[in-house]
């Protein structure tokens, strides 16, 4: 069966939580309440599914999200408009097959018609050169570093989205994006659009 990248559904959250907490030192562990909060507020929260199994997920948000992450706040203090990648997790059996790149291309396609920057952080303690190199090859550059209050030192990364000036001039300044399904916003429960099943 083909791989599908789709918006998360509430019944996926247990599988997403298990993936998150099995990911190892590169991802901060969480609990169901915190994950449910991300489900409620994230502008982008998609999973990769194949044969009914969740193989990975990516969560991202824009500056208006009610999110207390120290790294998210750093970007909000330094930039007016961006999409922040909070976390990406790929199941261990699916790593090394390009799924991370697929997710990054997908979140970029979401971001580049809305904002000028795509941002994220990578842990420097313990340093993972594979992760640092991956982000470099995806066009990210370091814009800062900080030590998290209850976590490791991180490298704060940003990537300029070259399509955004065209989209802003052609569409956003003249009524908005076309009303087509692939440009639609995620129906976030916090907006009263998704609700809980």
């Amino acid at each position: 069966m083909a791989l599908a990248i789709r918006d998360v559904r509430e019944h996926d959250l247990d599988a997403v939580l298990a993936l998150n907490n099995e990911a190892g030192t590169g991802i901060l562990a969480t609990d169901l309440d915190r994950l449910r909060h991300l489900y409620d507020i994230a502008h982008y929260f998609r999973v990769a599914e194949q044969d009914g199994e969740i193989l990975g997920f990516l969560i991202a948000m824009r500056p208006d999200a009610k999110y207390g992450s120290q790294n998210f706040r750093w970007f909000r203090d330094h930039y007016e408009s961006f999409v922040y990648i909070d976390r990406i997790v790929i199941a261990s059996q699916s790593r090394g097959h390009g799924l991370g790149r697929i997710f990054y291309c997908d979140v970029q396609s979401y971001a580049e018609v809305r904002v000028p920057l795509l941002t994220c952080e990578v842990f420097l303690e313990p340093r993972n050169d594979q992760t640092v190199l991956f982000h470099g090859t995806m066009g990210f550059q370091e814009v800062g570093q900080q030590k998290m209050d209850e976590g490791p030192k991180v490298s704060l990364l940003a990537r300029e989205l070259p399509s955004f000036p065209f989209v802003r001039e052609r569409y956003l300044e003249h009524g908005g994006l076309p009303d087509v399904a692939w440009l639609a916003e995620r129906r976030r429960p916090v907006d009263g659009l998704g609700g809980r099943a």
Side-chain angles (χ1 to χ4, degrees):
M1 185 177 195
L3 179 74
I5 304 293
R6 61 164 175 81
D7 282 343
V8 70
R9 299 176 187 134
E10 189 173 15
H11 69 264
D12 298 323
L13 292 182
D14 287 338
V16 167
L17 181 64
L19 271 181
N20 186 94
N21 291 343
E22 292 166 3
T25 57
I27 296 291
L28 294 177
T30 193
D31 59 36
L32 191 55
D33 286 341
R34 289 188 192 123
L35 184 62
R36 201 171 275 289
H37 178 65
L38 291 171
Y39 171 78
D40 287 346
I41 67 166
H43 292 84
Y44 177 108
F45 191 161
R46 293 186 180 160
V47 298
E49 181 181 35
Q50 189 171 39
D51 296 329
E53 182 180 2
I54 304 296
L55 302 180
F57 67 91
L58 190 149
I59 302 173
M61 56 206 73
R62 290 159 64 182
D64 66 330
K66 302 288 191 254
Y67 191 39
S69 158
Q70 185 177 353
N71 297 321
F72 176 71
R73 291 194 319 264
W74 188 95
F75 285 112
R76 198 166 53 196
D77 290 345
H78 288 82
Y79 299 101
E80 181 179 343
S81 185
F82 58 88
V83 166
Y84 166 74
I85 298 171
D86 181 68
R87 63 189 66 212
I88 178 173
V89 175
I90 308 298
S92 58
Q93 72 272 18
S94 299
R95 293 178 193 153
H97 300 289
L99 186 51
R101 286 190 183 275
I102 291 170
F103 266 123
Y104 268 67
C105 289
D106 191 64
V107 74
Q108 178 184 323
S109 72
Y110 168 82
E112 68 188 349
V113 296
R114 293 170 171 88
V115 298
L117 286 175
L118 186 59
T119 68
C120 64
E121 79 276 343
V122 297
F123 290 177
L124 296 177
E125 302 169 343
R127 183 180 174 91
N128 182 329
D129 286 325
Q130 183 177 343
T131 300
V132 173
L133 182 60
F134 170 82
H135 285 86
T137 64
M138 295 299 290
F140 286 87
Q141 295 185 348
E142 185 174 83
V143 292
Q145 290 186 3
Q146 72 176 357
K147 177 84 168 79
M148 296 172 62
D149 292 337
E150 297 181 18
K153 184 176 183 182
V154 298
S155 172
L156 300 149
L157 306 175
R159 177 185 179 186
E160 290 188 16
L161 300 173
S163 299
F164 179 72
F166 167 81
V167 174
R168 179 183 56 213
E169 181 180 313
R170 183 75 181 261
Y171 295 102
L172 301 182
E173 293 175 355
H174 301 284
L177 295 172
D179 185 17
V180 293
W182 67 273
L183 290 173
E185 287 282 358
R186 176 176 176 258
R187 298 174 63 85
R188 300 187 307 164
V190 73
D191 296 325
L193 297 176
R196 291 198 174 139

